[in-house]
Structure formats: C-alpha cells, structure tokens
C-alpha cells in the first residue's frame, strides 16, 4: 500500500472511531473496519436465524390450541417471529449479506441460532412459559440493543421490542389462567417452568470471564451490558413474577442478597450449554431439518413467481415499444 | 461443502410507509419479491401488522441513486457556508413584536 493510501485509510478509521466515541450511529454506506462488518453480520444473522427457528417450538401447538382465542393469539405471535426474522435479514443485507446466502448457511450448520430453541415443547404450558421466560429473557437482551451503534440493527430492534411486549404478556396471562385451573394444569405450569428456567438463563451466553469478544463488542457499542449483568437483571425481574404466579423456580440457591441488592442464584450447567450449542441438544437436528424442508419445498413457488414476473415485464416492455412506434408514425 | 455465496432469486425492494395522513412516507426496511405488486403485498404483511401505515411505497433497491458517504463533505459543502439562509443570522431588536 502506498503512503497516500495508508493516510486515507487512517483518516477513514479515525472518522469511524470518532463516530463511535460520540455515540453516533454507523450507517450502511459508511466506511467501517472489516472486523466490525463481519461481527455485525454474524450477530444480526444469528439473531435473525433465532427468530426464524423460534417459530417451530410454538408453531408445533397451533393446530392443538385449547381455544379459538388462544389459537388466534398463537398464530399472531408466530407470525411476529417470522416478521422479526425478516426485519433482521433486511438489516444484515445493508451490510452486503444476501439473505438467501444466510439461509443456506443456517441449513448447512455454518451459522448458529439461540440454543433455547433446541428444547422440545411438551405441553401447552410450554407456550406460556416460552412467552414469559424466553421472551422475557429476549427482551432483557434486546432493549439495550435498541442503542446498538449500527443504525439499521438498532432500528429493527426498536420495532421488535415493541412487539415482544405482547409476546411476554400473552404468555404470562396464559399461565395465570392455567394456575386458576385444575391441579393437573398447575402441575403442567410448574413442570414447564422447571424445564425452561435454566435454558433461559443460558440465553445470555457464557459467563463474562469466558466471553472473549465482550470487550471488543462493548468498545464498538454493539453490546451495551455484559452477559452476567443481563442475566442478573433477568433473575431480579423474574423472581417476583414467579411468586405472583405461584410457581417455584427450580434453584435451591435462589435467595435475596440484601448486601448486593440482587438475588443470588445457583451455578448454570455450562457443559449442557456447550453440548446444545455444538448440536447435541434434544431438537437440533429436527429444527434444522424442518427449516431446510420448508425452504426446499418453497423452491417451486420462488421459481414460478420469478418466471411470471419476467414474463409480465417482457409484456410491459413490448406494449411500451408498441406505443412508441404508434406515436412515431402518428 | 460448497462455500460459493448463494444469491436471492427475487430482487430487493426498499419499503416506505406513511404512518398516518399528514405525514411523509418514511423508509422502514427492505424485502425480496418477484415483482412490485408482490413487494407491496409483502410490505403490508411485514411492516403494517399493527396499523403502522395508511400508504406504502416500494422501490426496487437497484433503482435508488444515493449520495456517497465518501464525498460527504464536498457534496454538502454548498449549504455549509450559507448561514444567511437561517433566520438566526439576522439581528432584530428584542422589542420588535411578532418577528
């Protein structure tokens, strides 16, 4: 590289650093370090994939919803998850990614999604607990991302957070209804809580001392709090909600620590987290296979629509040329 | 494993929404569609699930011409030194009413 080009690159980088330092947003056509671009694409794609795969555990229950009201709510919720995935793929594309390529990477296992969606949904209480705990944890994670330094991602997060509030509330209301029901229904809620509590805590990622990218991500303003900070915030928010609901969180070490002003909680099983992330969770293979099948089954629709659009465009072009000729001869 | 990037079969459209009467259309995001009519339908399903819009524009992303951030300073320079275009440029005594 020539001295001149070096100077220019330094200037661009200084401008980027200054934008970050002033807590201003980076926008799509701005110069940005390659590593920032790659990190953002990975973060946004992983988030988008989580929304898309996240349709499956609950979508599983649409045909067996206990009432028309619950069914309408669940369809709307699952449709929102699809919408969130689309907002996020849209944001990733502003960085030069192509969503067909991201989908290919998801179904071939080259990109990941949140480990939480690799757990099965065994009863209808799981729909409620996913809304309450899983969407609750997602909100904890996502609210600070509304201030992400990357503009299109931050704006997508604002839309998503507005919609997540409905998700969490419908889940909690569903659980309150079940808790007012029979002994068997209360047992279902407790069982679902037992199964989803620890995986929900894992959603915040590994402990801070095992999270090597956190420092760089915080410096770039694409992460605003550490994993452990957000996990603690979620625990503090959720304990009183569990009390109100009348369920017990499955952690004997969960106690209020008045010195810290926070709840203490037991050790998360990080070996389980690692195993699920590596593909050995209860549903990993099924989730990816179903996503791939849906994509493959839709291929003929995509091709047919593209063929029709090409034909229509050719017809429109011919009609315009005909008009021009007639005007010329008139 | 084949690492060649896959490209979308449908072109990209940018979506603009008028939130309510009296407001401008504002850019909200993008989507893929086979043609403009499909883009409009997808935009309705994706960006107006909660009454966020009363009117939608879709534009093929390839048809948009944008200023480049590289030429940011020179491109916008013509307005930079024309402070006399702003009302605050003019000194008027405080006791002149309705100014």
């Amino acid at each position: 590289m020539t001295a001149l080009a070096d100077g220019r690159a330094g200037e661009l980088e200084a401008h980027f650093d200054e934008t970050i330092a002033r807590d201003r947003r980076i926008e799509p056509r701005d110069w940005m370090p390659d590593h920032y671009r790659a990190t953002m694409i990975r973060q946004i794609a992983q988030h988008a994939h989580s929304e898309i795969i996240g349709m499956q555990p609950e979508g599983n229950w649409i045909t067996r919803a206990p009432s028309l009201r619950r069914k309408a709510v669940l369809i709307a919720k699952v449709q929102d998850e699809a919408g969130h995935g689309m907002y996020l793929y849209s944001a990733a594309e502003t960085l030069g990614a192509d969503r067909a390529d991201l989908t290919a990477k998801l179904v071939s296992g080259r990109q990941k999604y949140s480990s939480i969606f690799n757990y099965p949904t065994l009863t209808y209480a799981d729909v409620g607990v996913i809304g309450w705990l899983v969407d609750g944890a997602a909100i904890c994670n996502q609210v600070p991302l509304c201030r992400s330094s990357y503009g299109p991602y931050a704006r997508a997060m604002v839309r998503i957070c507005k919609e997540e509030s409905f998700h969490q509330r419908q889940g909690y209301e569903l659980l309150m209804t079940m808790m007012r029901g029979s002994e068997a229904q209360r047992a279902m809620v407790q069982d679902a809580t037992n199964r989803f509590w620890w995986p929900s805590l894992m959603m915040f990622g590994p402990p801070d001392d095992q999270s090597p990218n956190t420092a760089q991500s915080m410096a770039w303003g694409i992460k605003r709090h550490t994993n452990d900070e957000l996990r603690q915030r979620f625990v503090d928010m959720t304990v009183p909600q569990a009390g109100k609901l009348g369920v017990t969180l499955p952690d004997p070490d969960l106690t209020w620590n008045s010195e810290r002003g926070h709840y203490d909680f037991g050790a998360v099983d990080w070996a389980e987290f690692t195993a699920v992330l590596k593909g050995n969770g209860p549903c990993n293979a099924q989730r990816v296979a179903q996503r791939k099948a849906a994509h493959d089954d839709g291929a003929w629709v995509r091709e047919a629509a593209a063929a029709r659009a090409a034909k229509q465009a050719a017809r429109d072009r011919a009609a315009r040329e005909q008009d021009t000729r007639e005007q010329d001869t008139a | 494993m084949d690492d060649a990037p896959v490209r979308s079969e449908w072109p990209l459209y940018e979506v603009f929404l008028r939130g309510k009467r009296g407001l401008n259309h504002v850019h909200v995001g993008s989507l893929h569609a086979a043609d403009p009519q499909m883009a409009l339908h997808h935009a309705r399903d994706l960006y107006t699930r909660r009454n966020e819009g009363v009117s939608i524009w879709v534009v093929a992303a390839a048809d948009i011409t944008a200023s480049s951030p590289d030429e940011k300073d020179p491109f916008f320079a013509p307005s930079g030194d024309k402070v006399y275009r702003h009302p605050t440029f003019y000194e008027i005594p405080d006791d002149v009413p309705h100014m």
Side-chain angles (χ1 to χ4, degrees):
Chain A
M1 200 183 269
T2 65
L4 193 71
D6 272 342
R8 175 90 176 115
E11 198 183 300
L12 288 168
E13 183 139 23
H15 186 257
F16 172 88
D17 291 345
E18 194 194 321
T19 307
I20 297 281
R22 295 167 122 194
D23 205 16
R24 296 223 174 126
R25 300 292 171 262
I26 304 297
E27 294 294 346
R29 303 185 69 199
D30 290 343
W31 183 91
M32 60 189 88
D34 291 344
H35 189 34
Y36 178 89
R37 185 184 297 276
T39 303
M40 273 328 295
I41 291 177
R42 198 183 57 235
Q43 183 179 346
I44 299 173
Q46 186 167 321
H47 191 168
H49 296 331
S50 300
E51 301 281 358
I52 296 298
I53 295 288
M55 291 194 284
Q56 292 184 33
E58 291 180 281
N60 179 37
W61 283 94
I62 289 175
T63 55
R64 290 170 289 163
S67 70
L68 191 56
R69 179 179 182 272
R70 294 291 171 198
K71 186 171 185 163
V73 168
L74 187 54
I75 290 172
K77 201 210 153 190
V78 172
Q79 193 186 13
D80 272 355
E81 307 296 0
H84 296 176
M86 295 298 121
Y87 302 157
L88 291 162
Y89 285 132
S90 164
E93 286 198 295
T94 64
L95 290 158
D98 184 293
R99 77 184 75 182
D101 188 53
L102 299 178
T103 299
K105 287 189 167 119
L106 168 65
V107 298
S108 64
R110 281 173 291 165
Q111 283 182 342
K112 299 212 177 305
Y113 54 91
S114 176
S115 60
I116 191 79
F117 301 115
N118 290 314
Y119 291 88
T121 43
L122 304 180
T123 73
Y124 209 78
D126 290 21
V127 172
V129 166
I130 286 177
W132 172 39
L133 295 181
V134 176
D135 292 321
I139 291 171
C140 247
N141 257 331
Q142 290 170 357
V143 166
L145 295 178
C146 295
R147 293 185 297 114
S148 166
S149 65
Y150 189 58
Y153 186 49
R155 293 190 285 273
M157 292 315 308
V158 170
R159 292 183 80 89
I160 290 173
C161 284
K162 276 187 197 159
E163 299 180 358
E164 288 287 354
S165 171
F166 142 57
H167 297 180
Q168 195 188 22
R169 289 173 68 102
Q170 66 82 33
Y172 196 79
E173 186 227 46
L174 190 165
L175 297 176
M176 286 199 309
T177 309
M178 287 186 84
M179 292 301 282
R180 285 194 301 268
S182 66
E183 204 49 59
Q185 285 176 309
R186 277 188 286 278
M188 278 164 72
V189 175
Q190 183 61 58
D191 171 61
T193 305
N194 292 348
R195 283 182 287 108
F196 277 95
W197 173 249
W198 291 107
S200 299
L201 293 190
M202 295 174 196
M203 285 175 67
F204 297 93
D208 292 349
D209 55 14
Q210 292 163 42
S211 177
N213 299 325
T214 292
Q216 177 65 79
S217 294
M218 303 262 292
W220 274 339
I222 59 181
K223 190 167 181 169
R224 296 292 186 173
H225 304 280
T226 71
N227 297 350
D228 286 334
E229 283 167 11
L230 291 168
R231 193 167 9 250
Q232 180 70 61
R233 184 180 295 180
F234 174 69
V235 171
D236 291 345
M237 273 171 36
T238 308
V239 172
Q241 294 170 351
K244 261 287 190 246
L245 197 56
V247 296
T248 309
L249 296 172
D251 179 359
D253 297 328
L254 193 62
T255 44
W256 176 251
N257 182 329
S258 55
E259 255 173 60
R260 288 203 310 128
H262 292 291
Y263 284 93
D264 289 338
F265 54 97
V268 177
D269 181 359
W270 293 111
E272 176 182 322
F273 175 73
T274 309
V276 175
L277 216 57
K278 281 196 175 140
N280 300 319
C283 299
N284 295 59
Q286 179 193 332
R287 298 293 187 234
V288 173
Q290 195 171 334
R291 178 69 193 95
K292 185 174 184 318
H295 189 66
D296 292 347
D297 291 350
W300 72 271
V301 179
R302 293 191 297 276
E303 285 162 22
R308 185 193 171 277
K311 206 171 184 180
Q312 189 66 43
R315 259 187 221 146
D316 290 350
R317 220 170 19 246
R320 267 199 309 277
E321 280 162 12
Q322 180 71 28
D323 281 354
T324 319
R325 273 198 298 277
E326 280 168 12
Q327 274 169 11
D328 286 349
T329 52
Chain B
M1 192 175 285
D2 184 12
D3 271 357
V6 180
R7 308 311 298 181
S8 293
E9 293 153 79
W10 295 347
L12 189 68
Y13 286 84
E14 298 293 338
V15 180
F16 301 78
L17 282 186
R18 183 198 295 289
K20 59 180 183 186
R21 289 174 179 282
L23 297 181
N24 288 319
H25 285 77
V26 173
H27 181 248
V28 290
S30 67
L31 48 78
H32 286 271
D35 60 43
Q37 280 306 316
M38 186 194 269
L40 215 45
H41 281 113
H42 284 179
R44 178 201 60 190
D45 294 344
L46 184 55
Y47 290 106
T48 66
R49 287 197 304 283
R50 288 175 176 79
N51 308 317
E52 291 96 332
V54 295
S55 164
I56 305 175
W57 289 346
V58 290
V59 184
D63 289 342
I64 292 179
T65 307
S67 65
S68 157
D70 283 349
E71 59 191 9
K72 172 174 56 95
D73 292 339
F75 191 74
F76 293 105
S79 80
D81 59 355
K82 294 180 179 59
V83 284
Y84 47 83
R85 283 179 171 164
H86 297 276
T88 45
F89 180 72
Y90 303 94
E91 288 277 349
I92 307 283
D94 289 344
D95 54 1
V96 178
H98 308 303
M99 282 288 270

mmCIF file of all heavy atoms in Angstrom, chain A residues 305-320:
data_model
loop_
_atom_site.group_PDB
_atom_site.id
_atom_site.type_symbol
_atom_site.label_atom_id
_atom_site.label_comp_id
_atom_site.label_asym_id
_atom_site.label_seq_id
_atom_site.Cartn_x
_atom_site.Cartn_y
_atom_site.Cartn_z
ATOM 1 N N ALA A 305 -42.850 -17.679 -9.337
ATOM 2 C CA ALA A 305 -43.110 -16.241 -9.206
ATOM 3 C C ALA A 305 -42.096 -15.437 -10.009
ATOM 4 O O ALA A 305 -42.444 -14.442 -10.654
ATOM 5 C CB ALA A 305 -43.078 -15.834 -7.735
ATOM 6 N N ALA A 306 -40.844 -15.888 -10.005
ATOM 7 C CA ALA A 306 -39.809 -15.181 -10.773
ATOM 8 C C ALA A 306 -40.100 -15.305 -12.271
ATOM 9 O O ALA A 306 -39.954 -14.326 -13.027
ATOM 10 C CB ALA A 306 -38.427 -15.748 -10.441
ATOM 11 N N ALA A 307 -40.547 -16.489 -12.717
ATOM 12 C CA ALA A 307 -40.856 -16.703 -14.138
ATOM 13 C C ALA A 307 -42.031 -15.811 -14.557
ATOM 14 O O ALA A 307 -42.008 -15.182 -15.614
ATOM 15 C CB ALA A 307 -41.174 -18.171 -14.390
ATOM 16 N N ARG A 308 -43.053 -15.742 -13.717
ATOM 17 C CA ARG A 308 -44.212 -14.912 -14.031
ATOM 18 C C ARG A 308 -43.819 -13.432 -14.103
ATOM 19 O O ARG A 308 -44.241 -12.703 -15.005
ATOM 20 C CB ARG A 308 -45.305 -15.101 -12.967
ATOM 21 C CG ARG A 308 -46.586 -14.355 -13.313
ATOM 22 C CD ARG A 308 -47.556 -14.274 -12.145
ATOM 23 N NE ARG A 308 -48.649 -13.377 -12.484
ATOM 24 C CZ ARG A 308 -48.588 -12.058 -12.375
ATOM 25 N NH1 ARG A 308 -47.482 -11.473 -11.947
ATOM 26 N NH2 ARG A 308 -49.623 -11.314 -12.715
ATOM 27 N N ALA A 309 -42.967 -13.006 -13.149
ATOM 28 C CA ALA A 309 -42.537 -11.599 -13.139
ATOM 29 C C ALA A 309 -41.750 -11.269 -14.411
ATOM 30 O O ALA A 309 -41.926 -10.201 -14.996
ATOM 31 C CB ALA A 309 -41.691 -11.329 -11.896
ATOM 32 N N ALA A 310 -40.911 -12.211 -14.868
ATOM 33 C CA ALA A 310 -40.114 -11.979 -16.079
ATOM 34 C C ALA A 310 -41.026 -11.863 -17.295
ATOM 35 O O ALA A 310 -40.848 -10.992 -18.154
ATOM 36 C CB ALA A 310 -39.119 -13.120 -16.263
ATOM 37 N N LYS A 311 -42.042 -12.726 -17.365
ATOM 38 C CA LYS A 311 -42.991 -12.727 -18.472
ATOM 39 C C LYS A 311 -43.771 -11.409 -18.503
ATOM 40 O O LYS A 311 -43.926 -10.777 -19.544
ATOM 41 C CB LYS A 311 -43.962 -13.898 -18.259
ATOM 42 C CG LYS A 311 -44.600 -14.442 -19.509
ATOM 43 C CD LYS A 311 -45.333 -15.705 -19.087
ATOM 44 C CE LYS A 311 -45.943 -16.437 -20.243
ATOM 45 N NZ LYS A 311 -46.633 -17.659 -19.783
ATOM 46 N N GLN A 312 -44.229 -11.001 -17.310
ATOM 47 C CA GLN A 312 -45.004 -9.761 -17.192
ATOM 48 C C GLN A 312 -44.151 -8.562 -17.608
ATOM 49 O O GLN A 312 -44.620 -7.686 -18.342
ATOM 50 C CB GLN A 312 -45.477 -9.610 -15.740
ATOM 51 C CG GLN A 312 -46.467 -8.478 -15.517
ATOM 52 C CD GLN A 312 -47.800 -8.717 -16.230
ATOM 53 O OE1 GLN A 312 -48.326 -9.823 -16.203
ATOM 54 N NE2 GLN A 312 -48.315 -7.697 -16.902
ATOM 55 N N ALA A 313 -42.906 -8.551 -17.177
ATOM 56 C CA ALA A 313 -42.007 -7.441 -17.508
ATOM 57 C C ALA A 313 -41.779 -7.384 -19.015
ATOM 58 O O ALA A 313 -41.750 -6.301 -19.614
ATOM 59 C CB ALA A 313 -40.680 -7.606 -16.763
ATOM 60 N N ALA A 314 -41.645 -8.566 -19.664
ATOM 61 C CA ALA A 314 -41.434 -8.622 -21.116
ATOM 62 C C ALA A 314 -42.659 -8.072 -21.834
ATOM 63 O O ALA A 314 -42.548 -7.311 -22.802
ATOM 64 C CB ALA A 314 -41.152 -10.057 -21.536
ATOM 65 N N ARG A 315 -43.855 -8.448 -21.342
ATOM 66 C CA ARG A 315 -45.103 -7.956 -21.942
ATOM 67 C C ARG A 315 -45.216 -6.432 -21.827
ATOM 68 O O ARG A 315 -45.565 -5.750 -22.775
ATOM 69 C CB ARG A 315 -46.300 -8.582 -21.221
ATOM 70 C CG ARG A 315 -46.898 -9.728 -22.016
ATOM 71 C CD ARG A 315 -48.172 -10.202 -21.337
ATOM 72 N NE ARG A 315 -48.211 -11.648 -21.385
ATOM 73 C CZ ARG A 315 -48.733 -12.427 -20.453
ATOM 74 N NH1 ARG A 315 -49.257 -11.899 -19.373
ATOM 75 N NH2 ARG A 315 -48.728 -13.719 -20.601
ATOM 76 N N ASP A 316 -44.880 -5.918 -20.638
ATOM 77 C CA ASP A 316 -44.961 -4.472 -20.413
ATOM 78 C C ASP A 316 -44.004 -3.735 -21.345
ATOM 79 O O ASP A 316 -44.333 -2.688 -21.889
ATOM 80 C CB ASP A 316 -44.606 -4.135 -18.950
ATOM 81 C CG ASP A 316 -45.692 -4.612 -17.988
ATOM 82 O OD1 ASP A 316 -46.767 -5.016 -18.476
ATOM 83 O OD2 ASP A 316 -45.444 -4.596 -16.765
ATOM 84 N N ARG A 317 -42.814 -4.318 -21.522
ATOM 85 C CA ARG A 317 -41.803 -3.703 -22.383
ATOM 86 C C ARG A 317 -42.314 -3.663 -23.825
ATOM 87 O O ARG A 317 -42.233 -2.643 -24.503
ATOM 88 C CB ARG A 317 -40.504 -4.503 -22.282
ATOM 89 C CG ARG A 317 -39.284 -3.627 -22.241
ATOM 90 C CD ARG A 317 -37.974 -4.339 -21.897
ATOM 91 N NE ARG A 317 -37.980 -5.772 -22.077
ATOM 92 C CZ ARG A 317 -37.867 -6.651 -21.076
ATOM 93 N NH1 ARG A 317 -37.771 -6.233 -19.837
ATOM 94 N NH2 ARG A 317 -37.855 -7.951 -21.321
ATOM 95 N N ALA A 318 -42.892 -4.794 -24.291
ATOM 96 C CA ALA A 318 -43.403 -4.886 -25.664
ATOM 97 C C ALA A 318 -44.511 -3.861 -25.881
ATOM 98 O O ALA A 318 -44.563 -3.194 -26.920
ATOM 99 C CB ALA A 318 -43.901 -6.305 -25.926
ATOM 100 N N ALA A 319 -45.394 -3.715 -24.879
ATOM 101 C CA ALA A 319 -46.508 -2.767 -25.000
ATOM 102 C C ALA A 319 -45.982 -1.337 -25.099
ATOM 103 O O ALA A 319 -46.480 -0.525 -25.884
ATOM 104 C CB ALA A 319 -47.436 -2.918 -23.802
ATOM 105 N N ARG A 320 -44.937 -1.020 -24.325
ATOM 106 C CA ARG A 320 -44.360 0.324 -24.355
ATOM 107 C C ARG A 320 -43.716 0.610 -25.703
ATOM 108 O O ARG A 320 -43.868 1.696 -26.265
ATOM 109 C CB ARG A 320 -43.312 0.476 -23.238
ATOM 110 C CG ARG A 320 -43.881 1.045 -21.947
ATOM 111 C CD ARG A 320 -42.762 1.613 -21.052
ATOM 112 N NE ARG A 320 -41.663 0.666 -20.847
ATOM 113 C CZ ARG A 320 -41.683 -0.300 -19.931
ATOM 114 N NH1 ARG A 320 -42.726 -0.454 -19.148
ATOM 115 N NH2 ARG A 320 -40.649 -1.117 -19.798
#
